[in-house]
Amino acid sequence: MQLSAKLFTPILLALLYSSLCGAQTLPPFHSGNTQFRPIALPAYIGEVNLDNPTIKIKKLSSDSATSVAKQAGRPNTSPILTYVRGSMYTQTPYVGYTNPSSNTYGASITVEGWGKRSARQAQAEADLNRQIAEALTESKSVETQAIFAYIDALRAKLLWQSYQAAIDRLKAFSSDEAIRNKAEFIAAQGVLGNDLKYYSYTLVSFVGNTDKELPLPVGTLNMPPENFNVKSLVSEGLEKRADIHQGKASIDSANANLEAIRASKGMDFLPGIYYTETPSYSTGGLDYGAQKSFSFLLSIPIGNGFMIDSDVISGSNSIAEQELNLVATKTKVITEINQTYLQYEAAKERLEKANAAYNLAKAPKKAGIQSVLQLREAEYELFDARTVHTKTLILLKRLSGHFDIPNLN
């Protein structure tokens, strides 16, 4: 059931949050056979951004693109040095002939066609922007997954502590029912302890760290509910989302690539200068003096670029593809935000009910086993409701382009 945001007046929100902040006191978590190191969410996400292999790879790709962009504007001169040692005959052409043994030295250089250099540099810069946008998108995706894994681990820890609190309360009773429930709670604790280890290993996988100590999340998942305007969320998402910026950067990159393809069809010029020196020699009874000469050569390579336009068609289609991808991404943004908003309203209503039930269960009353069981059930539902509320709230904010690290209290 969706709860209208209008029902949550500021006063009601304040009352709700104050009741939520009346955090229950839970026994400390302990594990006899596994070493844990407590770590807050901001510190953990800092480690993820620093050590996650996927993020590192994207950063390396961006660094490579930066290096290419810095040098792409340099002229492609392709200098050629030439040396020719006179004619070499396998036998004397005629009696009395003398090989003049001339030496020729030459040098040529490429002069790129008009617009090639600027188009190449523009393409490299556009590719760099696309790589940076892709790296940011990947980084925020990994961040979100890591946060959710952290929340799952924290939920398992809090439930373990909740069962421990119930076990401690049952120690005051010696009936068979108390003993049976205590045994059930200890068994449930064992499952939750394994769940915590499982999710903690998932946390390890995000940082690629094989330390002996597993990360132990801290907090209560006690995030206050918030009100949102779904149209504002959509507007912010279309403006701030990392994948939107990636889509725009991909279109710019495709446009720059097409311009580079068109510029590549221009003709290059290869001017060259050559110097030849021939020593004096005699042949056929005639004496020839030493000779020196200069020559100039201009080559204009003509390729198939003027006759083949498949690369231009491919480049144009690439632009159209990226434009369609951006349209699809915008549709995805609108859909995801609207769907998550509905889920969040339901999660907020569930949290309100769970908090009310918990406050009722912990109200002073006649001590008894049933009171212990009711409090444990209400506390279990409260932590589950907090988990769903926290995840949905974080997801809704991130889908609308707000990537602040949440405070899990």
Side-chain angles (χ1 to χ4, degrees):
M1 175 182 175
Q2 180 179 348
L3 194 62
S4 172
K6 294 181 180 179
L7 295 179
F8 281 94
T9 63
I11 295 177
L12 180 57
L13 280 175
L15 291 174
L16 177 59
Y17 182 47
S18 66
S19 62
L20 283 172
C21 287
Q24 56 273 43
T25 301
L26 296 172
F29 172 81
H30 59 83
S31 177
N33 57 357
T34 304
Q35 292 182 336
F36 287 93
R37 62 180 180 98
I39 183 170
L41 180 60
Y44 172 69
I45 295 301
E47 292 184 3
V48 170
N49 285 318
L50 184 64
D51 298 326
N52 181 264
T54 301
I55 294 178
K56 279 186 174 181
I57 291 172
K58 285 296 182 180
K59 287 181 178 178
L60 289 174
S61 297
S62 297
D63 291 343
S64 298
T66 300
S67 177
V68 171
K70 288 180 178 179
Q71 301 181 23
R74 295 182 180 180
N76 182 18
T77 56
S78 300
I80 300 175
L81 299 178
T82 304
Y83 169 72
V84 180
R85 173 67 177 170
S87 302
M88 300 295 180
Y89 293 98
T90 57
Q91 60 184 15
T92 302
Y94 55 87
V95 177
Y97 177 80
T98 301
N99 187 349
S101 302
S102 61
N103 294 294
T104 300
Y105 305 89
S108 62
I109 194 171
T110 299
V111 178
E112 291 184 278
W114 180 261
K116 284 189 175 183
R117 179 181 171 187
S118 59
R120 184 171 62 248
Q121 184 170 11
Q123 181 185 6
E125 291 175 352
D127 287 343
L128 170 60
N129 292 333
R130 177 180 55 80
Q131 290 273 15
I132 292 174
E134 288 180 358
L136 180 60
T137 300
E138 188 68 30
S139 172
K140 296 309 176 185
S141 175
V142 171
E143 259 191 24
T144 303
Q145 295 174 50
I147 289 172
F148 285 173
Y150 186 96
I151 291 172
D152 288 335
L154 181 53
R155 171 188 174 274
K157 174 195 167 190
L158 290 171
L159 290 177
W160 187 99
Q161 292 175 285
S162 176
Y163 272 106
Q164 184 61 50
I167 292 171
D168 292 342
R169 296 188 192 104
L170 288 176
K171 290 179 180 178
F173 304 95
S174 57
S175 64
D176 292 342
E177 182 182 7
I179 295 173
R180 184 180 68 255
N181 280 285
K182 183 179 177 181
E184 291 177 359
F185 292 170
I186 292 174
Q189 258 192 328
V191 174
L192 289 167
N194 286 333
D195 288 345
L196 176 57
K197 292 179 187 178
Y198 176 88
Y199 289 119
S200 293
Y201 277 115
T202 302
L203 297 181
V204 169
S205 70
F206 279 105
V207 295
N209 191 345
T210 57
D211 287 345
K212 295 180 180 179
E213 293 183 333
L214 293 177
L216 182 67
V218 296
T220 62
L221 297 175
N222 192 14
M223 293 186 69
E226 298 183 32
N227 287 330
F228 297 100
N229 181 298
V230 70
K231 290 184 179 180
S232 297
L233 291 176
V234 169
S235 177
E236 291 174 350
L238 293 174
E239 179 184 355
K240 298 178 181 179
R241 277 270 290 262
D243 49 356
I244 292 291
H245 289 293
Q246 178 183 337
K248 293 178 179 178
S250 295
I251 292 176
D252 293 340
S253 177
N255 276 306
N257 177 63
L258 179 59
E259 291 303 315
I261 291 173
R262 288 171 173 167
S264 69
K265 296 181 180 296
M267 290 184 296
D268 293 335
F269 299 91
L270 280 75
I273 187 170
Y274 298 88
Y275 167 72
T276 302
E277 58 179 20
T278 305
S280 58
Y281 65 96
S282 299
T283 181
L286 297 176
D287 295 327
Y288 294 87
Q291 300 178 4
K292 298 179 180 180
S293 64
F294 289 91
S295 57
F296 177 77
L297 175 67
L298 177 63
S299 299
I300 305 176
I302 299 177
N304 294 329
F306 296 104
M307 297 178 289
I308 298 175
D309 64 350
S310 59
D311 50 355
V312 175
I313 294 174
S314 177
S316 299
N317 288 341
S318 179
I319 295 174
E321 289 174 8
Q322 298 305 327
E323 289 174 342
L324 289 173
N325 284 336
L326 181 58
V327 172
T329 300
K330 289 181 177 180
T331 301
K332 177 184 175 184
V333 169
I334 296 171
T335 302
E336 286 179 340
I337 291 177
N338 276 280
Q339 289 178 333
T340 307
Y341 175 77
L342 294 174
Q343 291 177 326
Y344 179 67
E345 289 297 298
K348 191 162 57 173
E349 181 180 4
R350 178 184 177 184
L351 178 62
E352 180 189 15
K353 292 179 178 178
N355 188 67
Y358 173 75
N359 288 332
L360 181 63
K362 74 173 184 178
K365 61 183 71 175
K366 184 178 179 180
I369 295 178
Q370 292 304 314
S371 297
V372 174
L373 299 180
Q374 290 173 3
L375 181 58
R376 189 208 62 78
E377 291 178 359
E379 197 168 51
Y380 195 106
E381 169 58 18
L382 178 60
F383 284 135
D384 270 356
R386 284 183 182 178
T387 300
V388 174
H389 172 264
T390 299
K391 279 189 172 183
T392 313
L393 177 57
I394 293 171
L395 180 59
L396 185 59
K397 286 186 173 183
R398 290 193 157 236
L399 289 176
S400 59
H402 297 274
F403 299 104
D404 295 337
I405 305 303
N407 180 8
L408 302 182
N409 298 303

